[in-house]
Amino acid sequence: MSGIARLSLVVHSGEHARLHYALVMASAAAAVGKPVTILFAGAAVKALARDWIPPDDDRRARTLGAAGLEELLTACRDL
């Protein structure tokens, strides 16, 4: 068997870098057809709230051309 069959992630931190990295990995795996499961726990659950406002680090990342957390969450849901 080559590669991974599926990707399962547990995201427990609300820190921007950790959320961003987990969502990049999840969206990339889903984009190439791998099944993905993400469990949000602890402070990371706040990122799923409708009224959640991404941290300032997210604005800085978007100005540098990286996808923002909201864009990555949408991509993960859509994929």
Side-chain angles (χ1 to χ4, degrees), residues 22-38 71-79:
L23 293 173
V24 166
M25 288 183 3
S27 60
V32 296
K34 300 293 182 183
V36 177
T37 302
I38 307 172
E71 183 179 357
L72 289 167
L73 278 167
T74 300
C76 287
R77 287 183 190 118
D78 292 348
L79 292 168

Side-chain angles (χ1 to χ4, degrees), residues 46-71:
K46 294 176 185 177
L48 301 176
R50 292 189 195 278
D51 61 347
W52 179 69
I53 299 171
D56 288 340
D57 289 349
D58 195 53
R59 187 175 331 123
R60 188 176 73 221
R62 284 182 289 127
T63 61
L64 296 173
L69 293 174
E70 289 179 333
E71 183 179 357

Side-chain angles (χ1 to χ4, degrees), residues 11-28:
V11 185
H12 61 86
S13 172
E15 181 187 353
H16 176 266
R18 291 176 186 257
L19 282 168
H20 194 270
Y21 190 70
L23 293 173
V24 166
M25 288 183 3
S27 60

